Amino acid sequence: MQKILNFIGGDMMEPLAGEYFENEDPSIGKAYSLVPDSDESDLEHAVKAAKKAFPHWRDMHAALRAGAMHKLADLIEENAAEFARAECIDNGRPLSQCSAANIARGIANLHFFADEGQKFAGENFKSGKIESYTLPQPIGVVATISPWNLPMLLFTWKFAPALAAGNCVIAKPSEVTPMTAYMLSELVNDSGIPRGVFNVIHGKGAKIGAAITKHPDIPAISFTGGTSTGTEIYSTAAKQLKKVSLELGGKNPTIVFEDADIETASDGALAAAFSNQGQICLCGSRLLIQESIYERFKIALLRKLPNIKIGDPLEADTQHGPMVSKAHMEKVLGYIDLAVKEGGRIAAGGKRHIVDGRCKDGYFIEPTIIEKLPPDCRTNQEEIFGPVVTLLPFKTEEDAIAIANSTQYGLAASIWTQDDARAKRVSAKIESGIVWVNCWNVRDLNTPFGGVKKSGIGREGGRRAMEFFTEEKTVSRMV
Ligand code: NDP
């Protein structure tokens, strides 16, 4: 089986204790690679390497740092087909989507933040005889901890701004999807990023992730993952007053008003519900439909649902692959059982899906639509993170807003209406960090990204990410 290695101080390294665990291909349900089960000794080694590399990287001209990051992006692009295939095998997302979304965005993230690092500057103020300016300065050694659902996209999204701001990074990808982070680390030395500036440590969240969170020489942590893990990281980090950015779970509403274009809105709602098998934090897992069009809208959904092709994620026309792991498949199937126990009616899907041939043991679940559940039941309150969407009828705009805001989460929402004034009113009242109008998951990397309530703390994207990874110093003088 292929062995994944850590990348520490510019060297590809076995974990010092020599321990590994298995990593599965979820489309066939079999282990295919070994992941380092890193521990504190690996972390110590990485922190030492990063601390040593920091002064040089910090003092390097931003244009030179940018050059190395652009080069890394170019190297990934040269190998984009291999990256997409590896991401597909590791995660289960269909190959075409891995290529167009995960890997393409990974490359874009690096280019974007390379440029952002050169633009990022302090401010100037004058008040009477006081002249001041600010100096945003890198923090030192920072950590990024990322999840399995969009491995390459989120891995790069987190470490690129940290590097661009002049920090050294210890990056921990998810133990479930480590492969493309490993492949990326193999290219780093050729990019011109000096040894020790960027380090990748693989392993288990509860072990190496927790050790990173506690380490006294890592004063800032950027985390994307589940709300309960984020809460744990936040409380550990608080004891050392660490800077923390938390991008957490969601239970996002898709709200369809009676004046929406039904064809466009039903396409949008299906994409929001089932992209990446519903394993995107931004997925619209609660579909709120105005009562007067509820039946028509449901019929449109049910008519289009069979067009989503489930199957081997390596096949070019597959749109719906397996869940990322057996444990996650079982969790999602458990939620479907719960929905039925809570009185839900399964309008479509609802079962494990068996794919003939190579993928017969894969962890596939049918795209599932459930109705007749009240907004406050567990199915409608908890993040399922799978291909499961519930339909919720509503009467008025106020009802829609109340249902949309009735969960502990507040990451994203999409609103479908042809009435601009209504779109503005509802957007302002939805409790979430992001609202899309007549679209879903369109991203301008300059815009702030993040959630409210239990969906997170802080914002990523553009300047906000650079601000997180810097400390701002104010220098004032009397003139
Ligand atoms: P987890 O919270 O389980 O894991 C996220 C990362 O944290 C992984 O690298 C994991 O390692 C690590 N980790 C786990 N336990 C600890 C710990 N005690 N201390 C430090 N690190 C730890 O999330 P998932 O990987 O299951 O990802 C799915 C979740 O991520 C969903 O809730 C989803 O909504 C959320 N998410 C949020 C996004 C946002 O931008 N708001 C975007 C994408 C996903 P390991 O994998 O080895 O356990």
Side-chain angles (χ1 to χ4, degrees), residues 146 148 172 174-175 203 205 209 223 225-226 229 247-249 281 383 449:
S146 48
W148 49 257
K172 191 208 118 29
S174 169
E175 71 186 63
F223 171 79
T229 316
E247 297 293 337
L248 309 177
C281 54
E383 185 185 45
F449 181 91

Side-chain angles (χ1 to χ4, degrees), residues 262-263 266 295-304:
I262 290 196
E263 283 308 301
S266 53
E295 285 304 322
R296 269 169 63 212
F297 199 79
K298 186 173 86 179
I299 288 166
L301 295 173
L302 295 177
R303 171 169 49 83
K304 292 176 180 183

Side-chain angles (χ1 to χ4, degrees), residues 31 44 72 91 115 117 159 206 227 233 258 275 350 374 398 408 418:
E44 280 312 325
L72 179 58
N91 171 271
D115 291 341
F159 82 71
T227 295
I233 288 176
E258 59 193 358
S275 289
E398 289 69 31
Q408 60 175 341
Q418 298 190 53

Side-chain angles (χ1 to χ4, degrees), residues 21 35 144-150 153-154 157-158 172-177 202-214 221 223-230 232-233 236 246-252 278-283 324 328 331 383-385 409 411 434 449-451 454-456 460:
F21 56 88
V35 188
T144 64
I145 302 179
S146 48
W148 49 257
N149 66 318
L150 300 167
L153 188 159
L154 290 169
W157 178 243
K158 302 194 85 61
K172 191 208 118 29
S174 169
E175 71 186 63
V176 188
T177 53
H202 297 276
K204 297 190 172 161
K207 184 170 165 184
I208 193 65
I212 289 171
T213 309
K214 277 196 287 224
I221 300 162
F223 171 79
T224 297
T227 295
S228 63
T229 316
E232 204 176 317
I233 288 176
T236 306
L246 300 172
E247 297 293 337
L248 309 177
K251 189 73 181 173
N252 311 300
Q279 302 169 126
I280 301 180
C281 54
L282 307 165
C283 276
V324 77
H328 192 55
K331 178 185 153 191
E383 185 185 45
I384 299 173
F385 217 54
Y409 295 107
L411 186 56
I434 302 154
F449 181 91
K454 294 208 171 145
S455 288
E460 298 183 329

Side-chain angles (χ1 to χ4, degrees), residues 150-223:
L150 300 167
M152 181 74 161
L153 188 159
L154 290 169
F155 185 66
T156 48
W157 178 243
K158 302 194 85 61
F159 82 71
L163 287 185
N167 300 282
C168 290
V169 175
I170 295 180
K172 191 208 118 29
S174 169
E175 71 186 63
V176 188
T177 53
M179 188 55 84
T180 46
Y182 164 61
M183 290 169 65
L184 181 151
S185 68
E186 285 190 305
L187 301 175
V188 171
N189 288 341
D190 290 339
S191 73
I193 294 175
R195 287 170 171 264
V197 166
F198 179 65
N199 305 276
V200 184
I201 301 194
H202 297 276
K204 297 190 172 161
K207 184 170 165 184
I208 193 65
I212 289 171
T213 309
K214 277 196 287 224
H215 199 289
D217 294 336
I218 302 178
I221 300 162
S222 176
F223 171 79

Side-chain angles (χ1 to χ4, degrees), residues 224-267:
T224 297
T227 295
S228 63
T229 316
T231 309
E232 204 176 317
I233 288 176
Y234 196 37
S235 76
T236 306
K239 295 191 186 97
Q240 295 179 48
L241 289 181
K242 293 188 182 206
K243 213 173 173 188
V244 182
S245 162
L246 300 172
E247 297 293 337
L248 309 177
K251 189 73 181 173
N252 311 300
T254 302
I255 308 174
V256 185
F257 287 98
E258 59 193 358
D259 62 351
D261 178 273
I262 290 196
E263 283 308 301
T264 319
S266 53
D267 285 343

